[in-house]
Amino acid sequence: MGIGLVLEGGALRGLFTSGIIDVFLENNIRFDAAVGVSAGVVFGTNMKSGQKGRGIRYNLKYSKNWRYKSFRSLLLTGDLFGADFCYHELPTKLDIFDTEFFRKDPTTFYAVVTDVETGRPYYKELTDGEFEDLEWVRASASMPLASKIVKIGDNKFLDGGIADSIPLKFMEEHGFKKNIVVLTQPQEYVKQPYKIMPLVKTVYHKYPDLVKSIGQRHEMYNEQTAYVRSREAEGACFVIRPEEALNIKPLEKDPNELQRVYDHGVMVGNKVLDELKRFMEIP
C-alpha cells in the first residue's frame, strides 16, 4: 500500500520533528499516509501543506507572546497553549496555513486524539485544513491538566498521546508495511509513571477510563518503544530519533533553545537521508 509516516508528540520537542519535516520537504521525500500525535500532528501538517520553515518561523516570532503559550494563558483561558491564538488566529491571519495546498496534497493524514469518555484512541483523517480540522489538531495536542477538554460534535477529546503515543501499529493495520517513525526521545529513554496522579484523579473524576489511561500511559509508551525497536530490527520500519535528550521546557521562550532543537532535527535528518532513501527505495 505504500509508505507511511508516524510522528510522535512531545510539546516543543516537536521542533525536532519540524526540522526533520523540512529535510523531507527540501528533498522531496513523500509519503502515502501519515499519522501525527499531539505536537507530531501540529508540526506534521506543515508537510502536507508544503510549508518548509513554517514551524520554526512562527515559534521564533511568537515564543514570547503570552497568548501563544504561558501560565497567564492557562489561568485566563484554561489552555497553556492559547487555543484561539494557536489554532485559529495564527494559521488564518499571522502565519497563514496553506489550506489549498493541504487539500490537493495526496498524502492521507490522520490526527490521533483520546476520547475522554472511553480513554481510548480515535483516529481522524484531516482533509482540508479548515476550522474543524484545526480543532482536531488542537484536541490531539491538548495536554491533560494544561488544556481544556475539546468538544467536537457530541464527543470530548484530549491529547492523543494519552492513548496511543506512537501509532505504528495503526499504520501497519491500515496496510502500510514500510513506515518511517519520527520519535522525539533518544533510544535509551524510558517513560516513568505520572507523578501527579492524585491531581489527575481529582480533575477528571467524572472520566474514570481517562484517568486509567493516563495512569497506565508509561506502560503503554514503553511497550510501544519496544515494539518500534523490534520492527526496526526486522527492517519493517525506519526510525529517526534525537541523538541525545532534547531537554527543552514546554514553555521555553529563548529563541536560541528553540532553534537548537530545530537544528538538531535538521542535522539528524540530513545525516540519515541517504539511508532513508535506500529504505524507501528512492533512486
Side-chain angles (χ1 to χ4, degrees), residues 12 15 56-65 69 248 251-263:
L12 288 179
L15 285 167
I56 185 62
R57 182 174 64 239
Y58 71 71
N59 270 277
L60 292 176
K61 186 170 183 179
Y62 298 107
S63 64
K64 296 182 181 180
N65 187 315
K69 61 178 189 292
I248 186 166
L251 286 178
E252 183 60 67
K253 299 180 185 300
D254 183 350
N256 293 321
E257 281 295 285
L258 304 175
Q259 188 72 52
R260 173 185 64 82
V261 173
Y262 170 82
D263 288 346

Side-chain angles (χ1 to χ4, degrees), residues 90-102:
L90 179 60
T92 63
K93 298 177 182 178
L94 302 177
D95 197 318
I96 296 175
F97 187 68
D98 192 338
T99 54
E100 182 178 0
F101 195 105
F102 188 92

Side-chain angles (χ1 to χ4, degrees), residues 151-283:
K151 186 174 182 181
I152 303 176
D154 295 328
N155 299 101
K156 301 173 183 178
F157 303 102
L158 277 175
D159 194 326
I162 297 169
D164 193 353
S165 296
I166 310 170
L168 174 57
K169 287 185 178 180
F170 169 80
M171 293 300 282
E172 292 179 337
E173 289 165 0
H174 280 69
F176 295 93
K177 302 306 181 186
K178 269 193 168 186
N179 291 283
I180 315 303
V181 181
V182 180
L183 303 179
T184 60
Q185 297 283 13
Q187 186 165 0
E188 66 275 10
Y189 176 76
V190 176
K191 186 174 283 295
Q192 300 301 317
Y194 214 39
K195 294 181 179 179
I196 49 176
M197 280 307 297
L199 180 58
V200 169
K201 291 176 181 178
T202 299
V203 173
Y204 300 117
H205 66 277
K206 294 181 180 179
Y207 308 106
D209 289 328
L210 175 69
V211 171
K212 182 178 179 181
S213 291
I214 295 174
Q216 295 176 343
R217 185 186 177 188
H218 65 290
E219 298 173 359
M220 175 268 295
Y221 182 89
N222 295 331
E223 288 172 0
Q224 288 187 328
T225 54
Y227 181 73
V228 168
R229 288 193 297 271
S230 71
R231 296 298 283 158
E232 182 182 23
E234 293 164 1
C237 72
F238 186 94
V239 183
I240 305 174
R241 50 172 72 85
E243 294 185 347
E244 58 193 25
L246 296 172
N247 294 326
I248 186 166
K249 301 172 185 176
L251 286 178
E252 183 60 67
K253 299 180 185 300
D254 183 350
N256 293 321
E257 281 295 285
L258 304 175
Q259 188 72 52
R260 173 185 64 82
V261 173
Y262 170 82
D263 288 346
H264 189 68
V266 173
M267 182 275 291
V268 170
N270 281 309
K271 189 173 181 178
V272 303
L273 186 59
D274 289 342
E275 188 180 355
L276 173 66
K277 287 181 178 180
R278 286 193 293 272
F279 177 83
M280 297 178 68
E281 299 180 3
I282 297 174

Side-chain angles (χ1 to χ4, degrees), residues 62-75:
Y62 298 107
S63 64
K64 296 182 181 180
N65 187 315
W66 74 267
R67 296 180 63 215
Y68 178 43
K69 61 178 189 292
S70 66
F71 285 115
R72 180 180 176 186
S73 175
L74 180 63
L75 289 171

